[in-house]
Amino acid sequence: MRRAFATRFAAAVIITATAAGCTASATTGPSGNSGSSSTGQGRDLTDAEQVVVERAEGLLTKKCMASRGFSYWVGPIASVDERKTAVYVLDDLAWVRKHGYGGRLVRAAERAGNPNFAYSNAFPREDRVRYTRALEGMPSDTVSVELPRGGTVEGPAGGCRAEAQGELYGDHETWFRVSTITENLAPLFLPDLMEDKRFVHALASWSSCMRKKGHDYRSPEHLRLELARSTDAMSDGKAHAVEVELATAEAVCAGEDASGLTATARDLEHEYRAKKLEPYADTIATHQRLSLAALARAEDITGAAS
């Protein structure tokens, strides 16, 4: 069976983590979401703040489900360390020397599983339907949004999850719209960015640096795809050692003293987001505003819960 991190890393053809809604004004780079902004008018949440918000959403969902006669467990919620892997190229040497590509973190999370699945699957069919409707609302009650590159995404408009998000963000339908759009903005600028001569040159320099260290890879995503294949049958300890060796080489080669890939990717991301995402400025600003408002509420909720 392919190692747990294979699909996750193979899909990480991005410069920074977009799951938390990085925007045109963010100055985040390959090391992750810094939560900073060049405009001073708004910012994205840091990974640590995002964890707080997700925990609060889980607690609100748990409270709602209890009111409808069901148990609900908060989580699993990805840790700050797990979120560090959702970048195009790693550059945090201290982190990679400890975690490699985070394979052990991902596998531990998978082993822990989600108790909500086991709980709901143990119900007879009729009770399982009631549980799903309590959590997700009626199948016919949905909210939809058109994606920037075409296509439509639908989500539940009712149920405890929607109610929890409504309480956190102030308006569930608005949050669903702006979060879905901001999470799907990368295809608007990434193709051009990755064809930019500055990026192509930095990537070639990174690949040359890796070859000198005995690792022949065209790009970070190529490395991770091959890593998944090569470590598939290895023991956990050996696979981790391989991860650490390769991730350390990747990070060293991404630095200013080698290829400068990290800095180039970060600067180009900022440039291309500013060029390409102007039509979505209002959506991005709303996403940031609702996120920060949710954080304030989440801190109260989780503080009270603890």
Side-chain angles (χ1 to χ4, degrees), residues 131-171:
Y131 173 91
T132 301
R133 289 180 176 175
L135 186 62
E136 304 286 358
M138 297 295 291
S140 59
D141 187 15
T142 62
V143 58
S144 64
V145 60
E146 292 186 10
L147 298 178
R149 292 290 296 270
T152 302
V153 171
E154 289 189 346
C160 285
R161 279 187 178 149
E163 288 185 21
Q165 290 184 354
E167 185 170 344
L168 263 184
Y169 295 100
D171 183 287

Side-chain angles (χ1 to χ4, degrees), residues 20 43-61 74 77-78 83 164-165 167-169 175 288 290-302:
R43 66 173 180 85
D44 297 310
L45 301 186
T46 65
D47 288 338
E49 290 170 338
Q50 189 63 37
V51 169
V52 173
V53 171
E54 290 176 20
R55 175 164 174 73
E57 182 179 328
L59 290 169
L60 290 172
T61 302
V74 178
I77 297 170
R83 294 166 199 254
Q165 290 184 354
E167 185 170 344
L168 263 184
Y169 295 100
W175 172 250
Q288 292 179 331
L290 294 183
S291 294
L292 290 170
L295 175 62
R297 298 184 185 109
E299 288 171 340
D300 288 340
I301 292 166
T302 57

Side-chain angles (χ1 to χ4, degrees), residues 55-137:
R55 175 164 174 73
E57 182 179 328
L59 290 169
L60 290 172
T61 302
K62 178 179 180 178
K63 180 180 178 181
C64 176
M65 290 295 284
S67 73
R68 301 185 186 192
F70 293 103
S71 296
Y72 185 84
W73 288 262
V74 178
I77 297 170
S79 67
V80 171
D81 274 332
E82 288 177 81
R83 294 166 199 254
K84 283 182 176 289
T85 63
V87 293
Y88 180 77
V89 62
L90 294 168
D91 68 346
D92 186 335
L93 277 172
W95 192 88
V96 298
R97 284 168 176 157
K98 180 178 181 181
H99 297 290
Y101 289 97
R104 278 182 168 173
L105 296 171
V106 175
R107 292 190 291 276
E110 289 188 345
R111 286 194 298 270
N114 188 337
N116 294 302
F117 293 152
Y119 175 71
S120 61
N121 288 337
F123 284 134
R125 183 179 180 280
E126 184 176 335
D127 289 337
R128 192 158 60 247
V129 169
R130 287 196 311 109
Y131 173 91
T132 301
R133 289 180 176 175
L135 186 62
E136 304 286 358

